[in-house]
Amino acid sequence: MRFVGIAVGCVGPRAYGRRMDDIRLRPWTDDDLAVELRNNAPEMTALLGGPLDEDTVRRRHERLLRGQADGTVSPFTVWADAADEPVGTAAYWETEHGGRPVYECGWFVFVPYQRRGYAGRAVRLLLEHAAMRGDRDTVFAFPRTDNAPSNALARSAGFVDTGVEDFEYPKGVPIRVNAWRFDLRALR
């Protein structure tokens, strides 16, 4: 599973003593299917191949829950104090890159909440969470080369651009992405 552009409790001050201004991450729940369905809008999926059919979104939601249960995926909803609903999501999951075990991460923020810095603060919290696990040293993000906001966010969050790579997303649809690497050891 790739996201271009996851216990009980919140990731923030109560979970591990860290909160990013007005942002917190809440572990994914079964109720977050509504978040997945809301994200499946044309304006949210334009750089991801467009909206998926509802059954595909429901299957992806079930995969997130299974991955969370077995520890291979860490999905979160992003909450802001200024909103009474999730403003987006952030996640990381186990994968390999260049033959090495790494995490891959992805994020999105709903259109009404964009351009407020929520995504950047959520990604920083996500990286701290991944670093605390301690089982992998590297996180990659793979935004499409033409996704200027996500590429700028990766740069500002401290990721290093390692170059352009060929991907498929959704499966069978070739895309070009920038491979951004973050060294989690810097946060330990």
Side-chain angles (χ1 to χ4, degrees):
M1 176 183 295
R2 293 203 184 277
F3 294 84
V4 180
I6 323 191
V8 177
C10 289
V11 174
R14 291 182 202 105
Y16 63 93
R18 183 82 167 113
R19 181 178 173 141
M20 204 50 85
D21 298 322
D22 59 345
I23 295 295
R24 64 198 178 283
L25 302 179
R26 192 202 73 206
W28 200 260
T29 70
D30 193 46
D31 292 338
D32 292 322
L33 173 60
V35 176
E36 279 289 295
L37 291 169
R38 182 177 176 195
N39 182 47
N40 196 40
E43 65 272 14
M44 295 299 297
T45 59
L47 294 173
L48 301 173
L52 303 171
D53 65 79
E54 188 171 323
D55 285 341
T56 301
V57 174
R58 288 178 183 280
R59 285 192 305 272
R60 181 173 60 200
H61 172 68
E62 291 300 320
R63 282 193 309 271
L64 287 172
L65 291 171
R66 282 193 308 274
Q68 182 181 50
D70 70 18
T72 58
V73 180
S74 295
F76 300 93
T77 50
V78 178
W79 291 79
D81 289 347
D84 61 356
E85 63 181 350
V87 299
T89 71
Y92 66 92
W93 52 95
E94 295 178 356
T95 191
E96 288 190 4
H97 188 266
R100 295 180 325 138
V102 299
Y103 290 124
E104 182 179 338
C105 72
W107 56 82
F108 73 80
V109 170
F110 291 120
V111 172
Y113 301 107
Q114 291 176 2
R115 303 179 63 89
R116 298 183 190 190
Y118 293 158
R121 295 194 303 273
V123 167
R124 286 179 193 84
L125 287 172
L126 189 75
L127 293 170
E128 289 179 7
H129 190 273
M132 284 188 347
R133 288 192 55 180
D135 61 340
R136 294 171 191 238
D137 292 333
T138 306
V139 175
F140 275 90
F142 298 101
R144 273 180 35 165
T145 56
D146 59 346
N147 186 340
S150 285
N151 283 290
L153 188 154
R155 182 180 299 107
S156 71
F159 285 78
V160 175
D161 187 356
T162 65
V164 175
E165 296 185 12
D166 293 318
F167 262 41
E168 288 186 8
Y169 193 89
K171 190 172 179 126
V173 177
I175 62 172
R176 304 276 288 164
V177 298
N178 288 317
W180 292 92
R181 182 185 68 236
F182 187 90
D183 187 345
L184 292 171
R185 294 172 295 187
L187 298 178
R188 293 188 185 127

